[in-house]
Amino acid sequence: MPTFEYALTIDAPPARVWDLVSDVEGWPSVTASVTSVEALDGAELAVGGRFVLIQPKLRKAVWTVTALRPGSDFRWESKAPGVVTRGDHLVEEADGGGSRLTVAIVQSGPLGWLIGRLAGGLTRRYMEMEAQGFKSRAEAAAGA
């Protein structure tokens, strides 16, 4: 299964970073890797909640939250013919203060390996753009 991960340290408290990460509808103002988000079941993250994401160069996708630990992390999945894409977002306290944000994408299913190979570069760029966007916004709000 293709797996991609990106992590960075943010000079802001984990609660501030989590506020940004968990505000999925606000992502288009944080990162250019997300054009629009529509919450189908309410804007707040909840297991079973669905969000429609539109991203440049990708097909519109419906993401369903499958696991959630408020203040810490969430997991969601998007299904397309032959592939299931899982996205993970983890916010934790960093050694020495601040936060550590980790984002990950795992692709499975009969075509998961092919999609991972074909879109791996774009996936990595979008993950980095997303994480860097959260870092910039969190640090600006924290006065760093």
Side-chain angles (χ1 to χ4, degrees):
M1 290 188 299
T3 301
F4 307 95
E5 185 175 298
Y6 185 82
L8 52 63
T9 301
I10 300 174
D11 189 15
R16 174 64 187 142
V17 177
W18 176 255
D19 286 346
L20 293 167
V21 170
S22 63
D23 177 18
V24 179
E25 286 189 309
W27 287 12
S29 70
V30 175
T31 178
S33 67
V34 177
T35 305
S36 71
V37 177
E38 178 188 358
L40 298 177
D41 305 302
E44 192 161 327
L45 278 180
V47 172
R50 296 169 301 145
F51 295 84
V52 177
L53 263 71
I54 297 177
Q55 297 181 269
K57 300 182 183 180
L58 296 175
R59 294 173 56 164
K60 177 170 72 172
V62 177
W63 290 84
T64 303
V65 178
T66 58
L68 171 66
R69 289 189 305 170
S72 174
D73 61 88
F74 79 94
R75 171 173 288 168
W76 58 2
E77 291 185 347
S78 180
K79 297 179 181 180
V83 64
V84 175
T85 302
R86 185 185 87 209
D88 297 320
H89 294 79
L90 171 64
V91 178
E92 54 194 341
E93 191 168 331
D95 292 339
S99 304
R100 181 150 180 88
L101 172 63
T102 304
V103 293
I105 291 287
V106 178
Q107 294 171 312
S108 61
L111 298 178
W113 66 272
L114 179 61
I115 300 299
R117 184 173 175 98
L118 293 175
L122 184 63
T123 298
R124 285 183 196 91
R125 280 193 303 278
Y126 281 4
M127 291 171 57
E128 182 175 352
M129 288 171 68
E130 180 181 308
Q132 290 291 342
F134 289 129
K135 176 181 176 70
S136 293
R137 183 68 57 91
E139 288 180 350

